[in-house]
Amino acid sequence: MSDPTPPALPTAVVDPPRRFRIPLVWVIPIVAALIGLFLAGRTWYEQGPVVTLQFRTGAGLEPGKTRIKYKDVDVGQISTVRLAKDGSHVVATAQMAREAAPLLVEDTRFWVVSAKVSGSAVSGLDTLLSGTYVGMDAGKSSEARRDFVGLEDAPVVSLGVPGRSFALHADTLGSIDVGTPVYFRRIQAGQVTAFKLDDAGQHLDIQVFIKAPYDRFVTIDTRFWNASGIDLKLGAEGLQLNTESATAILAGGLAFETPPGGDTEAAPAGQDFRLFPTRAEALKQPSSNAQIWQLRFTETLRGLSVGAPVDFRGIQIGEVISISPDVDVDAADVGLQVDIAVFPERMQSRRDATQDMSEADFRAFVDRLIKRGLRAQLRNGNLVTGQLYVAMDFFPNAGTAKIDWAGQPPQLPTQRGSLDELQATLSRIAAKLDRLPLDDIAAETRRAIAGLASAVERTEALMQRLDGLASNEVRAAVAETQQTMAEARAAVADGRRLLASDAPLQQDLRDSLQELSRAAQSLRHLTDMLERNPEALLRGKPEEKP
């Protein structure tokens, strides 16, 4: 028996060293750390630049709470608020969002938004619930900026609104304020954005912004005027009332318009305009094209004022520009001079509008008009107010007159006013009345009236007596007439009763007629029988044969 084969030994296998394994207990902290790192990286990535804002006060600014909004979207938050080193203002540090970084440029504006109530507007009411926030208006500059000076008030117009700004110059501010609306044909077309007194203190510079598309209606010839409140004017044209809107009446407003025939090309941004006090003043013809004339009157000028119209048969061709006394010491005469401005364009016919008349031709033309009787006359424009105006009209019966072209300005001949002529006529009539023997006429009149009254009294007494006499006879006649009429009515009634179909008389009459008819028939039979048998008178009626 052989020995059993020993079992083969197992082959050794190299066991590589085992890798490092993280215990399960560390997994959760590591994941939490990774999430934290992710959030931190995300926060760092989303964080924008830090900006500093300077405000006059720190009212409404709370670190960690006050937000910064652009178009009602949160783009940042106030992180710190501190007082400046000199104590003149407040410096706030704000952490902006990453997407707001391109908006932080040179002309970007910041302001504090809170609830405000002014005379023309109420704003920021939503901050009563949400709290005060800082508004931002992105600029258009390409230069980045990180420190800004905040505005004290919210800008009236955002930088992104299309339109153009213009400058107005006025003597007084009136009721104009920042935000005052600007109207074009009673449509709000813009707002006042700013105003300031000029360096010399002579007038005010007012900045207005006209939004598109209304800004294209502002041309070089456009006129701006103050449309605030109610423009009530009592002049030679009567009572005039001009208003723009209820807002303009309460809070003020401006308006603009281009006169007919003005330039139609849009004015460039920043163009300067004069701000007129009223629409009438704004739309007047420019004085540079006016002809200045002088008039001399001897009657009173009470009711004539500077600005009164110069009228030619209903068309205003000019206005009164000055009134002054004219004293002639040598002639011991005192008159009144009235200087007027006449606009030749308004006297030019339409077909000759494009033709320019030379100075010599114009003077010859005026001389011919004077020769035909053209005169200036004061007329009453309003009987209630007594306002006067200057009328240019023809007076064929006026005396000979010439215009003195050497005078500066030339003097036009005048005609006494119609009211003055009326007063003179009334004075002459009053003088004639004064010469009449009014006392004698009055005495005669009183005597005539007394005689007339006496005659009237006698006539009335006579009429009363006649009335008393006539009244008894009339009453008796009336009584008799009434009695006769009653009898007549009774007779008519009796006749009606007699003629009625069921009246007894009618029945008796019918019976009588029937009896009479029967008697006539019997008589006719008797007559026939006697004609046939005359002997019947002696022998009697013969017997009838069967």
Side-chain angles (χ1 to χ4, degrees):
M1 189 172 179
S2 63
D3 295 336
T5 305
L9 294 175
T11 305
V13 178
V14 177
D15 187 7
R18 300 182 63 181
R19 296 181 179 178
F20 176 77
R21 293 182 179 179
I22 300 175
L24 292 177
V25 70
W26 289 99
V27 172
I28 295 176
I30 291 173
V31 172
L34 293 176
I35 293 175
L37 291 174
F38 172 75
L39 294 177
R42 180 181 177 182
T43 302
W44 176 83
Y45 179 78
E46 291 181 350
Q47 278 186 347
V50 177
V51 298
T52 57
L53 307 176
Q54 296 182 13
F55 293 103
R56 188 169 56 87
T57 66
L61 300 178
E62 296 184 25
K65 293 184 178 179
T66 303
R67 296 165 296 169
I68 299 176
K69 290 187 175 183
Y70 174 63
K71 295 186 177 181
D72 287 337
V73 176
D74 291 345
V75 294
Q77 190 176 50
I78 299 295
S79 56
T80 63
V81 178
R82 60 181 176 84
L83 193 64
K85 293 181 179 179
D86 58 357
S88 60
H89 58 274
V90 172
V91 179
T93 304
Q95 178 64 58
M96 304 299 293
R98 186 181 186 84
E99 56 270 19
L103 306 177
L104 303 173
V105 293
E106 187 68 27
D107 52 349
T108 298
R109 300 177 293 184
F110 293 88
W111 66 94
V112 178
V113 180
S114 59
K116 290 184 178 179
V117 179
S118 62
S120 58
V122 178
S123 61
L125 290 182
D126 56 333
T127 60
L128 295 176
L129 299 176
S130 62
T132 303
Y133 63 91
V134 176
M136 187 185 82
D137 186 19
K140 296 182 178 180
S141 175
S142 58
E143 186 176 353
R145 185 174 178 179
R146 293 296 181 263
D147 56 324
F148 302 90
V149 177
L151 304 176
E152 294 186 4
D153 298 307
V156 178
V157 181
S158 300
L159 294 176
V161 177
R164 284 176 293 170
S165 296
F166 303 98
L168 307 181
H169 304 289
D171 297 332
T172 60
L173 185 61
S175 58
I176 300 172
D177 199 353
V178 174
T180 297
V182 181
Y183 296 93
F184 175 67
R185 300 189 184 280
R186 299 182 186 276
I187 300 174
Q188 183 172 349
Q191 287 179 301
V192 175
T193 57
F195 62 86
K196 67 175 184 178
L197 192 66
D198 70 330
D199 297 337
Q202 299 297 323
H203 62 270
L204 288 160
D205 297 330
I206 302 172
Q207 295 292 326
V208 297
F209 178 81
I210 307 300
K211 59 185 178 182
Y214 307 105
D215 59 336
R216 63 188 176 92
F217 299 113
V218 180
T219 67
I220 299 297
D221 293 332
T222 295
R223 315 290 172 80
F224 286 82
W225 68 87
N226 193 334
S228 304
I230 298 175
D231 182 13
L232 183 63
K233 181 181 179 182
L234 185 61
E237 299 88 353
L239 185 64
Q240 297 180 355
L241 176 63
N242 296 315
T243 62
E244 282 295 333
S245 66
T247 304
I249 294 174
L250 298 176
L254 305 179
F256 69 89
E257 183 180 339
T258 302
D263 195 351
T264 57
E265 186 177 356
Q271 179 69 33
D272 293 338
F273 294 93
R274 178 187 173 190
L275 180 63
F276 292 89
T278 62
R279 181 177 182 273
E281 291 288 335
L283 298 182
K284 281 183 179 178
Q285 197 77 4
S287 57
S288 58
N289 299 328
Q291 293 276 347
I292 307 301
W293 303 83
Q294 190 174 79
L295 311 175
R296 190 176 191 277
F297 295 99
T298 56
E299 62 263 41
T300 178
L301 299 183
R302 183 184 298 276
L304 184 69
S305 59
V306 175
V310 177
D311 180 282
F312 178 75
R313 296 182 177 178
I315 300 176
Q316 184 176 351
I317 59 174
E319 62 179 7
V320 176
I321 58 176
S322 69
I323 301 174
S324 61
D326 180 23
V327 181
D328 189 349
V329 178
D330 298 334
D333 185 20
V334 178
L336 296 170
Q337 285 184 348
V338 177
D339 291 343
I340 61 174
V342 178
F343 309 119
E345 293 83 0
R346 301 184 184 182
M347 299 177 65
Q348 202 169 19
S349 63
R350 182 172 299 179
R351 63 176 181 273
D352 298 333
T354 57
Q355 299 179 3
D356 294 332
M357 188 179 295
S358 64
E359 183 68 20
D361 293 340
F362 179 74
R363 291 186 177 186
F365 172 68
V366 175
D367 287 336
R368 290 197 299 272
L369 295 179
I370 298 298
K371 189 176 181 180
R372 287 187 53 198
L374 180 66
R375 301 289 187 274
Q377 186 185 50
L378 291 176
R379 291 182 181 177
N380 196 312
N382 194 308
L383 294 176
V384 178
T385 62
Q387 297 294 316
L388 299 179
Y389 68 97
V390 177
M392 304 292 291
D393 207 344
F394 290 97
F395 299 89
N397 297 326
T400 304
K402 292 184 178 179
I403 187 170
D404 182 14
W405 292 106
Q408 295 296 332
Q411 189 175 86
L412 286 175
T414 59
Q415 183 76 9
R416 291 178 64 86
S418 56
L419 183 60
D420 188 66
E421 290 288 344
L422 178 60
Q423 291 177 349
T425 304
L426 293 177
S427 298
R428 290 194 297 271
I429 295 174
K432 292 180 180 179
L433 291 176
D434 187 59
R435 291 193 296 269
L436 291 176
L438 297 179
D439 294 339
D440 298 339
I441 294 175
E444 292 293 336
T445 303
R446 283 196 293 272
R447 286 195 293 273
I449 292 175
L452 181 60
S454 177
V456 170
E457 290 177 356
R458 291 196 299 271
T459 302
E460 289 180 352
L462 178 60
M463 292 300 294
Q464 289 177 356
R465 289 197 298 273
L466 292 175
D467 184 60
L469 293 175
S471 60
N472 295 331
E473 295 177 358
V474 171
R475 283 196 292 270
V478 170
E480 291 177 1
T481 302
Q482 291 177 346
Q483 183 178 0
T484 302
M485 292 299 294
E487 292 175 355
R489 283 196 292 268
V492 172
D494 293 342
R496 289 178 178 174
R497 286 194 295 272
L498 291 175
L499 295 177
S501 59
D502 55 348
L505 180 60
Q506 290 284 342
Q507 187 65 31
D508 295 341
L509 182 59
R510 282 194 294 270
D511 294 342
S512 299
L513 290 176
Q514 290 178 357
E515 291 294 333
L516 184 59
S517 178
R518 286 194 294 270
Q521 186 175 7
S522 300
L523 183 59
R524 189 169 54 251
H525 291 323
L526 177 60
T527 304
D528 292 340
M529 188 273 290
L530 291 176
E531 287 179 353
R532 289 192 303 267
N533 302 299
E535 66 275 8
L537 294 173
L538 298 174
R539 295 178 180 176
K541 182 180 179 181
E543 296 182 355
E544 295 181 357
K545 294 179 179 180

